[in-house]
Amino acid sequence: MKLRSLIAAVALLAGTGAAMANCYEIIGCDYSDYFQRSDLRQLSCQSLWEVRNLIYQQNGYCFQTDRARRAFGNQGCWISEQGQVRLNAYERENVAQIVAVEKSKGCN
């Protein structure tokens, strides 16, 4: 399944209020696997942005930018400060790896 289709399915489920954790064929599960930079480099800037923000969404973050609100909405969110979002060790490291790859690829 293409990453974009998987993200759309996850976003649809997120709207139902179901507890979410995201797993991807190429990179693994964001809550229980450490993403490898070599795998992340295969993703586009858009996909990296989506995966990173889905981690925040599933942990209750209320998005501040128009782009993120359009893509993910803020239904059911409860945390306004990104630094207050509680991520487990896998999620925290995966966000850091994604940010590093985004930076190395020159993503905006």
Side-chain angles (χ1 to χ4, degrees), residues 4-108:
R4 191 105 172 119
S5 298
L6 183 56
I7 288 171
V10 169
L12 178 63
L13 289 173
T16 67
M20 294 305 305
N22 303 308
C23 295
Y24 307 94
E25 198 171 301
I26 295 173
I27 57 177
C29 297
D30 59 24
Y31 66 96
S32 63
D33 296 313
Y34 289 113
F35 295 164
Q36 301 300 309
R37 280 191 192 197
S38 58
D39 295 334
L40 290 170
R41 283 189 192 108
Q42 297 177 52
L43 302 180
S44 68
C45 288
Q46 178 67 28
S47 293
L48 291 165
W49 180 84
E50 290 170 350
V51 171
R52 177 172 46 81
N53 282 293
L54 279 167
I55 292 171
Y56 282 108
Q57 181 187 41
Q58 74 192 22
N59 285 287
Y61 181 60
C62 299
F63 294 102
Q64 307 301 308
T65 66
D66 289 338
R67 178 185 179 199
R69 282 193 297 261
R70 279 192 307 273
F72 303 103
N74 274 338
Q75 183 177 8
C77 71
W78 64 93
I79 302 169
S80 297
E81 298 292 326
Q82 191 176 50
Q84 294 178 351
V85 177
R86 297 177 113 190
L87 303 176
N88 71 26
Y90 293 101
E91 293 166 323
R92 197 169 30 259
E93 179 63 22
N94 289 338
V95 166
Q97 291 291 344
I98 292 168
V99 168
V101 171
E102 286 176 312
K103 186 175 179 178
S104 74
K105 291 180 83 159
C107 300
N108 295 333

